Amino acid sequence: MKNQSNQIAIIYILILMFISIIYYKSLQNYTFDSSHQYLYFIKDILFVLFSGTILKFILTQNNTKSFAIYQKLKDTNQEIKESNDKYDIVAKATSDTIWDWKIQEDSFNWNKGINNIFGYTENQIGDNSNWWFDKIHPEDSIKMSVKLYSFLEQKTEKWQDEYRFKCADNTYKYVLDKGFLLKDENGKAIRMIGAIQDITKQKEEEQRLKLLETVITQSKDSIIITEAQSSEGTIPKIIYSNPAFSIMSGYHFNEIIGKSPSIFIGPNSDMEEHKKLIKAINDKKECQIETISYTKKNEQYLVRFSMIPVYNSENELSHWISIQRDISQEKKQEKEKEKLIIELIQKNKDLKQFSYITSHNLRAPLSNLTGLLNLIEDIPIENLELKEILNGFNKSTHLLNETINDLVKVIVIKENSSLQKEAIQLEEIFAKVINQLSFQIELSKPTININLKKVAVLNSNKAYLESIILNLITNSLKFKSENRKLEINITASKIGSSVIIIFSDNGIGIDLKRNRDKVFGLYQKFHKYPDSKGLGLYLVKSQVETMGGTINIDSEVNKGTTFTLTFKS
């Protein structure tokens, strides 16, 4: 810079001296005093040198100022570069999305975080505040807008809010947005710079913790949380207890914090269980015990007490969680249940014994009595009154015999809980039953439709299955309608691993609204038929269930009845 000023000054002096010489030479053509001309020439030379010196001084000063300005600009540019570098490093380190809003012009700029965090490409990003507001969740938009514009009107400079921001894939992320406001000399907001931080994971964790807190506080089980470490032979100190624990133990929250659960141990507590618990704590293993604990009023109760270790992210034991339940009533009910089961077993044995007495001890004298009545039938009796008495006695004896036979059938079914099963051809069984009922079928002349194409073989007990089919078809024949021809439809199908057999007829039906609970009961009659004993459906249900199946009924008066039998194939 200095050399350049010197060069300019020298050039300036040389040019002026050249002009002065030319001017001096031109004066020689005129008749002037030569001494005066020489003086003029000296004066011009001095002026040229003086003005050259002044010019050099001015140029030097300008160069100095220019250099200072240049250096200042250079330093400023370096500071800006360093600031931008720091800005980029901070943006990367914090994973924040930085935004710059020039409020007066409504101009918006975003850093690369808008792509890294929210997935927006450069051509998807808007350059004004409308694009920003459009991406805020509708449920948060009004609240956030009101708070932001209220902030812009206030004198504070810092602002922050939480809301949900829409991503490029149309999902939403929870964000924490912090902004700093710049104002002009009149206090008017002109610019706002902010940073958006993705707090979705924190929010999800907060919601999870709130849910866990709700579960713990609302749980009917008593829950306490203790420290990780304890002194030798004691349970770690309590740092939290839920309301259920206070209800169970009678201790208020503040009365047990900082104390060991050992304070609930009393004279009748099971110390072996307590030792088992202490050993598990020392070994850092989960443990469950049952022992007697004591309330604040020194009342004892039986508690199921568990200790579960909790580890942090570094796999270090951080806490113990204890779940406790008062099982005093539960144990009492268990004892009552055991007592009841013993009583039921004994009663069941007594009933079986009675059944054996009924089915065996009564059959011999009853058979003798029946034989004697058969002999009396061959003896002519003249006394009409005696004859009538003997006839009534004969009917009662035969009725008693049938009743005992029915009870024997029921006993046999109940005793045979495990039956021998075999592969049965359904068509053969149905053909056999139809043949046995040929006389009744001939009398009623029903239309019988049997479709067994979908299921040819059933793994079942042959005798029971035959009895079931016989009873159901007999019922249809017995309870046919007098107003229309009897129609019986029987179909078999397979659904998954089950075989479904459906018996339906258009007989007189049963009023299920009144009798559904009685349909399969013993000696239940729903129609006044002289030969109806009310035993058939009871036997059918017992036999079906003994074979591991189920039976359902659907019936309507004067329309008909449908039985659905389900067996495991």
Side-chain angles (χ1 to χ4, degrees), residues 451-506:
N451 184 0
L452 306 173
K453 294 179 180 179
K454 294 183 178 180
V455 182
V457 179
L458 177 63
N459 189 35
S460 182
N461 181 271
K462 190 173 183 179
Y464 275 18
L465 184 61
E466 185 178 325
S467 174
I468 291 166
I469 296 170
L470 182 68
N471 273 300
L472 290 178
I473 295 179
T474 301
N475 263 17
S476 295
L477 294 171
K478 188 184 299 183
F479 301 112
K480 64 183 179 64
S481 173
E482 299 298 331
N483 301 323
R484 54 185 173 271
K485 184 179 179 180
L486 177 61
E487 183 177 340
I488 301 173
N489 295 298
I490 303 169
T491 60
S493 60
K494 190 170 183 179
I495 301 176
S497 61
S498 299
V499 172
I500 314 295
I501 301 177
I502 299 175
F503 291 78
S504 64
D505 62 47
N506 61 344

Side-chain angles (χ1 to χ4, degrees), residues 23-24 27 31-44:
Y23 176 73
Y24 176 74
L27 289 178
T31 57
F32 286 103
D33 188 353
S34 60
S35 61
H36 287 91
Q37 291 179 358
Y38 177 77
L39 289 174
Y40 282 121
F41 177 72
I42 295 298
K43 184 182 66 172
D44 290 341

Side-chain angles (χ1 to χ4, degrees), residues 2 48 117 123 136 145 149 154 156 164 280 318 412 436 506:
K2 187 175 181 180
V48 169
I117 298 175
N123 59 351
I136 297 172
S145 299
Y149 283 107
Q154 296 172 359
T156 54
R164 284 164 287 180
S318 61
V412 169
Q436 290 177 8
N506 61 344

Side-chain angles (χ1 to χ4, degrees), residues 268-423:
N268 295 327
S269 299
D270 191 335
M271 297 312 296
E272 290 301 319
E273 290 286 275
H274 183 258
K275 290 177 182 177
K276 175 183 172 184
L277 179 63
I278 294 298
K279 184 179 184 304
I281 291 173
N282 292 334
D283 295 339
K284 299 180 180 180
K285 293 181 179 179
E286 182 178 345
C287 180
Q288 180 174 294
I289 65 170
E290 290 183 6
T291 186
I292 291 176
S293 285
Y294 287 80
T295 66
K296 184 179 179 180
K297 295 180 180 179
N298 207 33
E299 297 172 346
Q300 65 181 37
Y301 59 96
L302 189 60
V303 64
R304 183 175 291 127
F305 188 105
S306 64
M307 290 290 283
I308 303 168
V310 178
Y311 293 88
N312 58 23
S313 58
E314 297 176 357
N315 202 31
E316 295 175 345
L317 181 66
S318 61
H319 299 90
W320 288 89
I321 292 180
S322 173
I323 302 174
Q324 303 177 29
R325 177 178 292 182
D326 183 351
I327 57 172
S328 304
Q329 189 65 25
E330 182 181 327
K331 286 294 182 180
K332 181 180 178 182
Q333 290 175 351
E334 283 181 6
K335 289 181 180 178
E336 292 176 352
K337 184 179 178 181
E338 289 174 1
K339 183 180 178 182
L340 180 61
I341 289 172
I342 293 171
E343 292 176 356
L344 288 174
I345 291 172
Q346 185 59 46
K347 287 182 179 179
N348 193 38
K349 288 180 179 179
D350 295 341
L351 287 173
K352 282 185 178 180
Q353 188 64 30
F354 176 75
S355 299
Y356 288 132
I357 293 171
T358 303
S359 60
H360 294 86
N361 297 3
L362 292 181
R363 287 181 70 84
L366 188 61
S367 297
N368 293 333
L369 188 59
T370 303
L372 289 173
L373 288 171
N374 289 334
L375 291 175
I376 291 174
E377 288 180 357
D378 297 332
I379 300 174
I381 299 174
E382 299 297 333
N383 190 327
L384 296 178
E385 185 175 350
L386 178 60
K387 188 175 183 180
E388 185 177 350
I389 291 172
L390 289 173
N391 286 335
F393 186 64
N394 189 25
K395 287 181 180 179
S396 297
T397 302
H398 280 89
L399 183 61
L400 178 60
N401 188 47
E402 288 181 1
T403 302
I404 290 175
N405 287 334
D406 291 341
L407 289 173
V408 169
K409 290 180 182 178
V410 173
I411 291 169
V412 169
I413 293 172
K414 296 299 183 183
E415 286 294 315
N416 293 336
S417 56
S418 58
L419 294 174
Q420 184 177 357
K421 295 183 180 181
E422 58 183 300

